[in-house]
Amino acid sequence: GQSLEQPSEVTAVEGAIVQINCTYQTSGFYGLSWYQQHDGGAPTFLSYNALDGLEETGRFSSFLSRSDSYGYLLLQELQMKDSASYFCAVSPDRDDKIIFGKGTRLHILP
Amino acid sequence: EAQVTQNPRYLITVTGKKLTVTCSQNMNHEYMSWYRQDPGLGLRQIYYSMNVEVTDKGDVPEGYKVSRKEKRNFPLILESPSPNQTSLYFCASSPSRDEQYFGPGTRLTVT
């Protein structure tokens, strides 16, 4: 089957850096996306990687290694408002289906 | 304002009573999709559409129907809802499948 694995929970301290990992096992691969979802809200798009390497958007960066079927989301200078769930998502093949991970709940301590 | 809208936002219904959840986007996106979100299971794709009159099954299509007669609208139809379809539903649209914009969600309870 096709699956994405990410930790269920991560805890970090305000002002610190945290990394959320995502490994995938899919029949094919076109790119890895990341979404943020606050409690009671809708998911919002954060970043997308199609090629190996690091993409930076402000305090958030996303990394992809296609050879390792692995990516991560890096959040720097953590703020309390970053407390949310984070989902990775992959489109595994050309029929455009999308598979999401189960999500990582990020807890931030003051 | 660019947005995806869903209606209704909350719905309580009974088993077997047909219902439709509407989804509309004003961004001229070709790709639209429906997801359900259940605790511990993340987001699971129900159906998606690459363009008008083109729809395809996601991972959990059983018990659902969709249609895409216009680019902006992508309704989700439950012909005979059952309690296991109680969930939080999201519609999303995208200029490409990899950057999706989600609607506010519809919380459905089937008793």
Side-chain angles (χ1 to χ4, degrees):
Chain A
Q2 309 197 86
S3 66
L4 281 74
E5 296 293 331
Q6 50 181 131
S8 58
E9 290 186 87
V10 172
T11 300
V13 178
E14 189 176 16
I17 299 173
V18 71
Q19 178 175 310
I20 299 173
N21 299 321
C22 175
T23 57
Y24 57 89
Q25 290 186 319
T26 55
S27 56
F29 179 83
Y30 280 72
L32 180 70
S33 301
W34 288 94
Y35 293 83
Q36 178 191 60
Q37 185 180 28
H38 287 100
D39 286 347
T44 57
F45 173 79
L46 291 177
S47 68
Y48 171 68
N49 295 68
L51 302 176
D52 286 357
L54 191 68
E55 296 280 344
E56 298 183 64
T57 308
R59 294 188 298 113
F60 293 5
S61 302
S62 58
F63 172 82
L64 175 65
S65 169
R66 295 173 68 117
S67 60
D68 295 323
S69 298
Y70 163 75
Y72 65 72
L73 181 68
L74 191 73
L75 294 79
Q76 303 182 72
E77 301 173 15
L78 283 172
Q79 302 175 9
M80 297 304 293
K81 67 178 181 179
D82 298 329
S83 295
S85 292
Y86 293 84
F87 296 88
C88 56
V90 165
S91 188
D93 50 38
R94 62 191 177 100
D95 73 1
D96 297 302
K97 182 184 299 188
I98 296 174
I99 298 174
F100 276 76
K102 290 183 170 60
T104 298
R105 188 163 184 89
L106 174 61
H107 302 280
I108 299 177
L109 305 175
Chain B
E1 180 189 354
Q3 60 182 350
V4 178
T5 57
Q6 295 179 227
N7 282 292
R9 295 288 313 279
Y10 302 90
L11 179 61
I12 300 175
T13 189
V14 296
T15 299
K17 185 177 181 181
K18 181 180 179 179
L19 66 91
T20 299
V21 184
T22 65
C23 173
S24 183
Q25 51 98 0
N26 63 1
M27 296 170 280
N28 202 36
H29 289 164
E30 293 188 343
Y31 188 95
M32 296 188 74
S33 185
W34 275 102
Y35 297 88
R36 61 178 289 173
Q37 186 172 32
D38 302 289
L41 297 179
L43 289 152
R44 293 181 292 167
Q45 194 174 40
I46 303 170
Y47 270 95
Y48 61 95
S49 170
M50 286 297 295
N51 213 328
V52 175
E53 302 294 357
V54 180
T55 63
D56 212 339
K57 297 177 181 178
D59 275 342
V60 287
E62 294 77 21
Y64 305 94
K65 287 176 58 177
V66 293
S67 68
R68 187 94 181 271
K69 294 184 171 60
E70 306 166 278
K71 197 172 190 178
R72 63 182 291 126
N73 296 324
F74 191 44
L76 179 69
I77 303 157
L78 285 72
E79 295 268 2
S80 183
S82 62
N84 64 12
Q85 293 179 297
T86 291
S87 187
L88 177 59
Y89 292 87
F90 287 103
C91 178
S93 75
S94 176
S96 67
R97 63 190 169 197
D98 304 301
E99 180 180 343
Q100 296 187 78
Y101 296 84
F102 284 80
T106 295
R107 188 166 293 281
L108 172 66
T109 302
V110 183
T111 62

